[in-house]
Amino acid sequence: MLNEKLSIIKQNLLSYKKPLKEMNVNNNDILVFDIEACAIKNHTEMLTYSIAVMNCNESSDIMYWTNNVSEFMDYLLNLEVKNVKLYAHNCSYDIKPFILDFTSRYDTKQRLPLLVEKDFVNIIDDVTIPVKMESKDRGKLGLYEYDLRVKDNIFYSLTIQSDICRISFLDSYKILPMSLKNACKGFLNLELSKDGLDYNKERSLEDELTLEEYSYIYDDVYGLKYLIQLCCINGFEANGKHI
C-alpha cells in the first residue's frame, strides 16, 4: 500500500511540497526531518541546502521544506504548543546546524548532561559551542536553556525550551539501528529509491534542486514518517503482544 501510494505521489510530486511556514503543529505532535548538506569553500565549511519535514500526526503526506536553518529554528521556537518531538535517522551532521544557530543567536544556557563526559560541548569538528554551564539538575529547563546528550561523540538527544514549547530532537537510529532503506523494507515492505544526490557537488542556497533530487529527499521523510508512526504512535504486534 505504501509503495503504491508513493508511486502516485511521485506523479505530481511538487504538489506535495509546501513551504515550512504552512505546516500546522499541535501539542505533542511528532515530526520527522531530513537535512542535506555539502562542503563549500574548499571543504572548509558545510552548507545546509535542504531541510525537509513531515508531521507524523497529519493524514496528508505533505513535505514541508526550507533551505534556511534560522527559519527552521525560528519556526520551532515560535510554536504555540507545549511539546513537540522531531526525529531524524542516524543523526550526525543533522543536529549540528540547529544547535550552532540556536547558540549563536540567543542568550542560551546549557544544562550539563549526565551522559556527557567531562565538559564536552564540541559537537562539530573544530567548532566549540559557547555555553554557560548550569548545574547537573535534570529538572525543568529554564527559558532558552538546552540539554544536549552526547557520549563518545554519539548524539542521543537535544532538548530546547522556548517561551512556550519544549522541543526535543531525537535519533530514530537508536530505535531501529539499521539504514533507513533497510528499516523501511523490513518493517514496512516499502522500497525507497536509490540515492539521487551528488554529495561532491558544491552548491549555494540560490541553486534550484532538480525533481530527481526532491524525489530522493521526499522518500527519506516519507519512509521515516511511517516508521515513526509504527514504532512510536501506532505500535505493532510482536510475539502475540502489541508493542
Side-chain angles (χ1 to χ4, degrees), residues 21-171:
K21 63 184 179 182
E22 294 186 16
M23 180 170 63
N24 292 319
V25 176
N26 296 314
N27 192 39
N28 294 321
D29 275 0
I30 298 178
L31 314 179
V32 296
F33 71 98
D34 176 70
I35 76 171
E36 302 297 342
C38 66
I40 59 174
K41 299 181 181 180
N42 294 320
H43 293 266
T44 60
E45 295 181 18
M46 292 295 290
L47 173 72
T48 299
Y49 63 85
S50 174
I51 306 171
V53 189
M54 275 193 188
N55 189 333
C56 296
N57 299 88
E58 279 189 1
S59 58
S60 70
D61 292 305
I62 299 297
M63 175 181 74
Y64 299 94
W65 188 88
T66 183
N67 64 356
N68 188 306
V69 172
S70 294
E71 178 190 1
F72 179 75
M73 287 304 299
D74 285 343
Y75 175 86
L76 295 175
L77 292 167
N78 289 315
L79 286 173
E80 295 184 355
V81 298
K82 290 185 177 180
N83 292 284
V84 65
K85 292 181 179 179
L86 300 96
Y87 283 92
H89 198 70
N90 199 12
C91 282
S92 54
Y93 176 81
D94 300 66
I95 207 67
K96 296 171 186 176
F98 307 140
I99 186 64
L100 291 173
D101 178 82
F102 178 67
T103 55
S104 68
R105 294 195 299 126
Y106 293 90
D107 182 20
T108 61
K109 296 178 181 179
Q110 180 183 8
R111 297 269 181 165
L112 182 60
L114 298 182
L115 287 178
V116 172
E117 297 176 345
K118 299 181 180 179
D119 291 333
F120 179 84
V121 292
N122 184 357
I123 63 165
I124 186 169
D125 293 343
D126 301 322
V127 177
T128 300
I129 300 173
V131 297
K132 300 175 182 177
M133 302 305 293
E134 293 294 295
S135 70
K136 295 184 179 181
D137 178 20
R138 305 309 310 156
K140 184 178 180 180
L141 289 174
L143 296 182
Y144 291 88
E145 284 188 344
Y146 66 97
D147 179 2
L148 175 63
R149 301 288 190 100
V150 177
K151 185 174 182 180
D152 299 328
N153 291 334
I154 297 173
F155 169 80
Y156 286 85
S157 67
L158 168 66
T159 304
I160 295 173
Q161 180 64 52
S162 71
D163 291 324
I164 298 175
C165 188
R166 185 180 180 92
I167 305 156
S168 302
F169 292 89
L170 302 161
D171 187 356

Side-chain angles (χ1 to χ4, degrees), residues 7 10 15 23 35 47 99 116 153 185 212 221 232:
S7 178
K10 293 291 186 72
S15 67
M23 180 170 63
I35 76 171
L47 173 72
I99 186 64
V116 172
N153 291 334
K185 175 62 177 176
E212 180 184 13
V221 286
C232 302

Side-chain angles (χ1 to χ4, degrees), residues 29-30 56-57 225 227-235 242:
D29 275 0
I30 298 178
C56 296
N57 299 88
K225 170 186 174 177
L227 282 175
I228 293 300
Q229 280 190 347
L230 176 69
C231 295
C232 302
I233 299 177
N234 299 331
H242 187 77

